[in-house]
Amino acid sequence: MSIKKLSITTILLYGLVFFSPYIFSPFSPDIVIGGTTFTYILGAGLMIWLYFNNKMTAATSVEQEAKLTSPVFMILLGISGIFIAMIIQAIVFGIETTITGVQPNSQNTQNIIKVILANPLFILATTIGGPIMEEFVFRRSLISLTESYTGFWLAAIISSSLFSVIHQDGHFFVYFFMGFFFALLYKMTGKIWTSIIAHCGMNTVVVIAQLVLHYANIDLPK
């Protein structure tokens, strides 16, 4: 399979998974959450399988031109990227708060935490399934499809913009700059696993922190 066909297939698969909650909507909330979690993990698994099954025939320009391709760089940048992404998030939230006066509260994160509290299994979707799919779609597939027409940097801007819009959170620039940072990690190493490590790690840290605050009944300062 060519990289173009693989990218389109990956995006279509993501679309099916993204709208999967509507399939389970006639049933109970537990079935909706369980079914959504299953489809997220299944979707991520299928994308990983498609990647390895077509690795030799569907390499992207980013992967072919990368310089820091050693697994050591992938691991180091992936792990350090967890904390850099969180710093970027905090800085952009701070700028937004200064300009708008609105407190840095992510409704998307709060909704996810509520679902996890109701059904802890959903943590697998938010910390593993979702981030893996988003990296294959927004970093690897979308950048690959647009890069030949726009160059990498504009392709990264486009994919980061769509990444932000899909979260429907009201904090466009927070998700945009995080998405752009993940794209930069991908470009530096030519390995989608670098941004996957950073993205999964960041989501995991955020979820754990939110759960700790909840169970400890701690209110963050306003």
Side-chain angles (χ1 to χ4, degrees), residues 21-43:
Y22 295 102
I23 298 175
F24 303 106
S25 60
F27 305 99
S28 68
D30 285 343
I31 292 178
V32 173
I33 296 171
T36 301
T37 301
F38 173 77
T39 56
Y40 268 57
I41 297 299
L42 178 62

Side-chain angles (χ1 to χ4, degrees), residues 186-199:
Y186 174 47
K187 179 175 176 57
M188 289 172 67
T189 62
K191 296 183 185 300
I192 196 62
W193 306 110
T194 311
S195 58
I196 285 176
I197 291 172
H199 196 166

Side-chain angles (χ1 to χ4, degrees), residues 19-201:
F19 290 106
S20 64
Y22 295 102
I23 298 175
F24 303 106
S25 60
F27 305 99
S28 68
D30 285 343
I31 292 178
V32 173
I33 296 171
T36 301
T37 301
F38 173 77
T39 56
Y40 268 57
I41 297 299
L42 178 62
L46 287 173
M47 288 184 190
I48 292 172
W49 178 80
L50 285 168
Y51 170 79
F52 281 113
N53 198 48
N54 297 278
K55 189 175 181 179
M56 302 304 296
T57 60
T60 67
S61 297
V62 169
E63 293 162 358
Q64 293 171 348
E65 299 170 2
K67 305 297 182 183
L68 305 177
T69 58
S70 167
V72 174
F73 285 114
M74 178 189 76
I75 295 171
L76 289 177
L77 288 172
I79 294 175
S80 61
I82 296 171
F83 305 100
I84 295 173
M86 295 182 70
I87 291 171
I88 291 172
Q89 183 186 51
I91 291 173
V92 179
F93 264 136
I95 295 173
E96 280 192 353
T97 302
T98 301
I99 295 174
T100 65
V102 178
Q103 292 299 318
N105 180 43
S106 172
Q107 190 60 48
N108 181 61
T109 300
Q110 296 304 315
N111 291 339
I112 288 172
I113 296 302
K114 288 179 181 178
V115 175
I116 290 175
L117 290 171
N119 192 326
L121 188 65
F122 192 67
I123 198 171
L124 296 175
T126 60
T127 61
I128 299 175
I132 289 175
M133 288 193 296
E134 287 173 354
E135 292 310 307
F136 274 112
V137 171
F138 293 100
R139 255 55 75 184
R140 194 169 194 265
S141 299
L142 281 174
I143 288 178
S144 174
L145 286 173
T146 55
E147 184 182 16
S148 59
Y149 304 101
T150 64
F152 172 81
W153 298 110
L154 184 54
I157 289 173
I158 293 171
S159 72
S160 300
S161 298
L162 293 173
F163 173 71
S164 181
V165 169
I166 205 74
H167 281 84
Q168 306 174 47
D169 191 65
H171 296 285
F172 177 85
F173 290 106
V174 173
Y175 285 94
F176 172 84
F177 282 108
M178 284 194 295
F180 195 85
F181 173 66
F182 293 143
L184 183 60
L185 290 178
Y186 174 47
K187 179 175 176 57
M188 289 172 67
T189 62
K191 296 183 185 300
I192 196 62
W193 306 110
T194 311
S195 58
I196 285 176
I197 291 172
H199 196 166
C200 287

